[in-house]
Structure formats: structure tokens, C-alpha cells
Amino acid sequence: MRGSTARRRRTFPGARFASTTTRTTAARTTVARTTVALLTTAAVLASGGCLGGTDDASHPDGSRSGKRPAAKPSVLWNTKPDSIASLGDSITRGFDACSVLSDCPEVSWSTGTEVNSLARRLLPTASRSATRSWNYAKTGAVMADLSGQIQSAVTRKPQLVTVLIGANDACRSSVDDMTTTTDFRTDFSAALKTLRHDLPKTQVYVASVPDLKRLWSEGRKNVLGRQIWKLGICPSMLKDADATDPAADERRRRVEDRVDEYNAALKSVCSQDALCRYDDAVHNYQFSTDELSKWDWFHPSKEGQQQLAEMAYRRITAP
């Protein structure tokens, strides 16, 4: 029995080598598997932005949550504002529409009560159109005056502000005195920023500067009109109304070009504000002498004011 037991306990050298080899191979396999697992984990963590910075093309805001940032709510234009403040120059004051050399805001295209004005169209009842609309325009105003008019209007907190200004910037004693396009744009941009700071939800309607050359071509048909222009109405465009020599043509062309530049500036600045609508209809409108004041053949008559109101209403109420 002892011999038999001794024989069973005897271990051959080859067997010990095989056993050792098997254990070594198993250990190496375990290490390899562990290494692969660690590398895979590191790769996953790196792709998830957990190792290092937060720059991740799938999350521009640097968020690690995987959620997209909330979209900003879209701004909706209100086609039925319930209060209006009008800003601008003599056109919006109804100058020379009722009597000579006088303002007549009652027939203003924007807030007038004696014509089918914008206010009467948007605020149907007479009481509302009178108590919920305000005219802060001023005869002779230029773009540099707009900020002051806005400061007066903000106290009313209107839902809509109308702006028609710029003709006086081009209507100077000479073409060299016209407001530069750079200054015009800067002043308008500053005015709009003032409005937006004080009234972030107020809508703005910006009418284009009228076609002054069209005024010349139509108004010069009237003998009395040409005589009145000699008193000094918009001399950069209207003086020497009968002159068609190269110098006169060049002078009028420069005024026309400057008005085009003004309108381009109005459109550009307005387009950067979600609650601002620019309207080129005023400049493009082919008005006739019947729509011009019979006292100066330059400012709109009552009929002309009606046309301005119609154009503004279409643009403001468009979807």
C-alpha cells in the first residue's frame, strides 16, 4: 500500500512545466482582457467629454447632459396694436395740408382724427383713436432729432411707433449741406436702440424717405408751385425748377442718390430688429399733383395723407 501511494504522489517534471505554462497563459489572458476593458472604458469616457474640456461638436453649449439648449421663442408681429405714437417731420404733422404755413395734425396719416388715418383704421372707435394715439413729430425735424422724439414717446408706452423722417436731411440749402449717409445711419441706429432699451416690446413701422425728384417733376408743372419754391422750399432739389442744364441735373442726381442711401440705411438698421418693419412703398409711390398741398406743392395734401395711411396700414397688418 505504501508503495502504491508513493507511486501515485510522484510528479513528473513535464507535468510541472505544463501546469506552470497553463497558469502563465491564463494570467496573460486575464491581463490582456483587463487592458482591453480599460482602453474601451477610456475611449467611451473621452467621447462623452468626461476627460478634459467640454468642447463637443454635439453640444455647442458645452453641456454634458446630452440635452439640446432650449430654442428661443419666436417674436410675433401684432397686426392690431392698441396704441400708436407717431414720430417724424412736417409730413406727419400735416404741414400745409389745411392752411398755409401751419401744422394740421388732425389730418396726419398716422394719428389724424379728420382723415382715415392709421390710428382710425387700427383703433376703430373715435374715442380710442383720440386717446390712444399721440403725435410727437416736429416740422423741420431731421434724423438727429429722432432720439428726442422717442424720449417723449416712451412715457406713453405705445404698442406701435411710426417713423417717417429724412426728407429734411436731404432738403438743404445746397447738396454739400446734406446729412452724410454715415451720420444718418448712426443717428437712426442710436434712436432705435434708445427705443428698444425703454420699450423692448414696442413695434416700429419705418416709412421710406419720399422720392424728392418725383416731387420736382410733378410740382414743376404748376406755375404757382414753381414760384413758391423760390421762397426756399427744399432748395437742394427744387431751386431753379425750370433749369435742365448739366449742373442742375447733376445737383438733382446727387440728392436722389443720397435719398436712396438714406433708405438703404433705414432698411438695413430696421432689419436687425425683429419688431421693426421697413416700408419702401412711400418712396415708390407715384403720387400726383392732386396729392400735393396747394400751398407749397411739396407736402402731402389731405388726399396725399390718405394715401400714406393706406400704405402704412397694408404693411403693418400684413401677416
Side-chain angles (χ1 to χ4, degrees):
M1 291 293 292
R2 276 196 218 101
S4 176
T5 302
R7 282 195 297 270
R8 287 199 298 272
R9 288 179 179 175
R10 184 182 287 177
T11 303
F12 293 97
R16 282 199 297 271
F17 176 77
S19 175
T20 301
T21 301
T22 300
R23 288 196 299 271
T24 301
T25 302
R28 287 176 178 173
T29 301
T30 301
V31 171
R33 289 174 177 172
T34 302
T35 301
V36 171
L38 289 173
L39 291 174
T40 301
T41 301
V44 171
L45 290 174
S47 67
C50 295
L51 297 178
T54 58
D55 294 335
D56 182 358
S58 64
H59 306 297
D61 63 341
S63 170
R64 301 182 185 181
S65 65
K67 296 180 180 179
R68 294 183 179 180
K72 294 181 180 180
S74 59
V75 179
L76 297 178
W77 178 272
N78 179 12
T79 59
K80 296 181 179 180
D82 71 354
S83 56
I84 304 171
S86 58
L87 314 177
D89 52 31
S90 54
I91 295 176
T92 303
R93 291 297 298 174
F95 185 81
D96 269 2
C98 302
S99 58
V100 65
L101 300 178
S102 299
D103 287 348
C104 190
E106 296 83 6
V107 300
S108 170
W109 65 274
S110 182
T111 54
T113 56
E114 296 181 6
V115 293
N116 194 19
S117 66
L118 184 63
R120 295 195 69 175
R121 294 166 191 251
L122 293 175
L123 313 172
T125 64
S127 60
R128 285 182 62 78
S129 62
T131 61
R132 300 290 294 166
S133 63
W134 310 276
N135 192 325
Y136 292 103
K138 186 175 181 180
T139 295
V142 294
M143 183 56 79
D145 299 318
L146 185 60
S147 287
Q149 293 182 19
I150 286 175
Q151 291 173 0
S152 298
V154 294
T155 59
R156 300 287 190 175
K157 294 181 172 57
Q159 288 193 359
L160 173 69
V161 166
T162 66
V163 178
L164 201 175
I165 196 169
N168 291 322
D169 289 272
C171 283
R172 314 299 284 181
S173 58
S174 71
V175 291
D176 293 332
D177 293 331
M178 293 187 295
T179 302
T180 66
T181 304
T182 298
D183 287 347
F184 186 89
R185 181 189 181 96
T186 298
D187 290 338
F188 178 56
S189 180
L192 195 57
K193 286 180 180 178
T194 297
L195 174 67
R196 192 55 64 222
H197 177 270
D198 294 329
L199 299 174
K201 297 181 180 180
T202 291
Q203 299 177 164
V204 185
Y205 166 81
V206 179
S208 49
V209 181
D211 186 346
L212 300 180
K213 192 170 184 180
R214 172 79 181 180
L215 277 170
W216 166 74
S217 64
E218 286 297 305
R220 68 192 290 264
K221 297 174 183 178
N222 187 281
V223 176
L224 180 58
R226 295 199 302 271
Q227 294 301 314
I228 292 175
W229 288 353
K230 292 179 180 179
L231 299 177
I233 298 177
C234 195
S236 58
M237 175 61 78
L238 303 181
K239 75 175 182 180
D240 300 327
D242 289 326
T244 56
D245 57 276
D249 288 343
E250 173 64 13
R251 168 171 53 83
R252 296 186 190 106
R253 185 195 63 77
R254 289 179 62 186
V255 176
E256 182 181 31
D257 289 347
R258 185 61 55 86
V259 169
D260 288 343
E261 292 170 3
Y262 289 168
N263 284 329
L266 292 174
K267 182 178 182 179
S268 175
V269 173
C270 187
S271 68
Q272 298 171 31
D273 188 310
L275 289 176
C276 183
R277 284 191 176 185
Y278 169 77
D279 190 2
D280 60 4
V282 175
H283 183 267
N284 294 335
Y285 182 68
Q286 300 294 300
F287 50 82
S288 66
T289 53
D290 291 336
E291 292 155 345
L292 297 179
S293 166
K294 296 304 182 286
W295 284 280
D296 63 20
W297 277 266
F298 179 77
H299 291 91
S301 62
K302 290 182 181 180
E303 291 77 9
Q305 293 283 347
Q306 290 276 162
Q307 289 299 326
L308 290 173
E310 176 64 27
M311 287 183 275
Y313 182 74
R314 283 199 301 266
R315 183 72 175 105
I316 291 168
T317 59

